[in-house]
Amino acid sequence: MIIKKLSLGVAVGTALMAAAINANADSCLYVQSSPGGSFNVCEETVNQTYCDGVDGDWSANACDISNIVGSCVTPSSSIHYLEGSASSLSFGCGFQNGEWQDPAPTPDPDPTPDPDPTPDPDPTPDPDPTPDPDPTPDPDPIPDPDPVPGIAGPDSTALRALDSDSLCTVTDHGNYYSFVRTNADRRDNRGVVLYAGGGVAAEAYAKVARNLCITQQDAFIIKGDGVEIIQTNPMAAIEPILANPGMEKWAVGGHSLGGVIGSLFISSNPGLVQGLILLGSEPALPMQATGIKAITIYATNDLIETPEEVITSLALLPADTEVVEIEGGNHAQFGNYGEQAGDGEAEISSSKQKSLFKYELRDFMDSL
């Protein structure tokens, strides 16, 4: 058994910064954390390696600066702030060795005069000026989910990941969400279906699904927490699979109890799925006879599904199962729902934990 160990050290961070300046690179959307708070920013010009290091979404296009608060222009890049106080951000820009620039004012269009300003000689008012009785606004395509008592809900990062953009289109299908590349640039038509952990809202895994999407796999999250699903509909993954007959390869799995459910689905549907994904999880029963490949990813500080429990569960998995260890990560940071009682304390951020394993999942999908 070979365990691949992932960590984010100083050398890696230095390499990412050195790679930031790239004449062929463009923009990166991410959350910048500082002593003054956390802000959504778009930085250019930076390359994809740098963007991955800050757990951002890279684009070959320039930043959309139509609604920015302002920009901090540094010797290596321009950081456009999408939110925050301009006065506070301009002060902080100096600590980044940058120069603050307010957004350029939008000029008013040339008000062309009416060529015939003669008033109507009989400006009879409308006899029925009654307004439309139902001026209902256009609804948000994916509203934020209502909190459910007893269920750990998604944090702000997960909620942002539910928004469609130029990289990934997110659709609510009723029983599941889909995350599909906006430009339909997929990796050989491969899809991943994820189940949520026990007591955790499905939306809390939107960032994991989005990472799969931007690394060119279509991703699907079954709605409902793991306890609800295993009791009522553990075969729910069949719906997105049947709805996408063009997919050549599928992997099913999830976090914690979600991975258990994924293994039950695969065992009940032989030949339908080629891969099992376990995130801080283990299979419910032996998987050697299923003919699938498996990847199990665990965190060293996870006290819910401990590293020892994961290693013991390898006896139930195929001999060639890929085993990945995330140094300093914990159980809750496989999703975005805050701290979990009984879990270990993480030594890395939630975004770093996800950035460390997103390419492991991509490479696993490539191997199917």
Side-chain angles (χ1 to χ4, degrees):
M1 175 185 65
I2 298 177
I3 300 176
K4 186 174 185 179
K5 299 189 177 186
L6 303 181
S7 63
L8 189 67
V10 175
V12 175
T14 303
L16 292 173
M17 292 302 296
I21 305 173
N22 184 332
N24 297 320
D26 284 286
S27 63
C28 179
L29 283 166
Y30 65 98
V31 177
Q32 183 192 73
S33 297
S34 69
S38 297
F39 307 96
N40 283 296
V41 302
C42 183
E43 185 172 359
E44 57 185 8
T45 300
V46 295
N47 65 20
Q48 190 167 4
T49 302
Y50 171 83
C51 193
D52 290 341
V54 294
D55 195 32
D57 297 329
W58 184 82
S59 172
N61 300 316
C63 294
D64 179 1
I65 59 173
S66 57
N67 292 297
I68 60 172
V69 175
S71 305
C72 182
V73 180
T74 74
S76 60
S77 67
S78 294
I79 305 171
H80 306 292
Y81 287 84
L82 310 182
E83 59 184 352
S85 165
S87 59
S88 299
L89 294 171
S90 61
F91 179 76
C93 180
F95 291 96
Q96 300 180 71
N97 194 28
E99 179 181 345
W100 180 259
Q101 293 184 357
D102 291 319
T106 304
D108 293 332
D110 185 14
T112 304
D114 185 348
D116 184 13
T118 305
D120 185 347
D122 185 17
T124 305
D126 185 349
D128 185 14
T130 305
D132 183 352
D134 186 20
T136 305
D138 189 12
D140 188 342
I142 299 186
D144 290 347
D146 294 330
V148 178
I151 302 299
D155 65 13
S156 59
T157 297
L159 292 176
R160 284 194 299 269
L162 285 170
D163 293 333
S164 298
D165 58 21
S166 60
L167 291 176
C168 186
T169 298
V170 185
T171 305
D172 185 342
H173 297 271
N175 294 325
Y176 64 92
Y177 295 101
S178 66
F179 296 70
V180 179
R181 287 283 291 191
T182 300
N183 63 3
D185 180 16
R186 301 166 183 163
R187 300 183 73 83
D188 300 325
N189 289 320
R190 292 182 172 133
V192 178
V193 183
L194 297 173
Y195 287 102
V200 181
E203 292 81 6
Y205 300 96
K207 185 61 178 178
V208 177
R210 181 177 175 80
N211 283 346
L212 285 162
C213 179
I214 65 176
T215 54
Q216 301 179 356
Q217 282 81 214
D218 287 357
F220 307 84
I221 307 176
I222 303 301
K223 285 190 177 182
D225 81 285
V227 174
E228 174 192 355
I229 294 171
I230 200 170
Q231 291 175 346
T232 61
N233 191 14
M235 299 297 112
I238 196 68
E239 187 172 346
I241 291 176
L242 293 181
N244 293 272
M247 289 292 179
E248 297 175 1
K249 302 288 184 180
W250 284 100
V252 175
H255 172 229
S256 197
L257 183 57
V260 175
I261 302 171
S263 69
L264 291 172
F265 177 85
I266 292 173
S267 297
S268 300
N269 296 275
L272 186 62
V273 173
Q274 291 73 38
L276 170 64
I277 294 174
L278 300 170
L279 304 175
S281 183
E282 60 185 81
L285 66 175
M287 303 298 293
Q288 293 91 339
T290 60
I292 54 97
K293 297 190 70 172
I295 181 170
T296 182
I297 303 176
Y298 67 91
T300 57
N301 295 15
D302 187 340
L303 297 183
I304 307 298
E305 178 72 20
T306 67
E308 293 77 16
E309 289 171 327
V310 171
I311 298 303
T312 300
S313 74
L314 294 178
L316 301 174
L317 293 168
D320 62 350
T321 293
E322 183 176 351
V323 185
V324 180
E325 175 188 281
I326 299 178
E327 183 180 343
N330 69 1
H331 194 73
Q333 290 187 170
F334 281 110
N336 286 92
Y337 55 91
E339 297 180 356
Q340 183 166 347
D343 196 8
E345 184 176 351
E347 298 172 5
I348 58 175
S349 69
S350 180
S351 62
K352 288 296 184 292
Q353 182 162 335
K354 292 174 188 63
S355 68
L356 283 172
F357 71 79
K358 71 179 179 182
Y359 287 114
E360 298 300 319
L361 294 181
R362 181 201 64 181
D363 294 345
F364 172 72
M365 294 303 296
D366 283 347
S367 73
L368 296 182

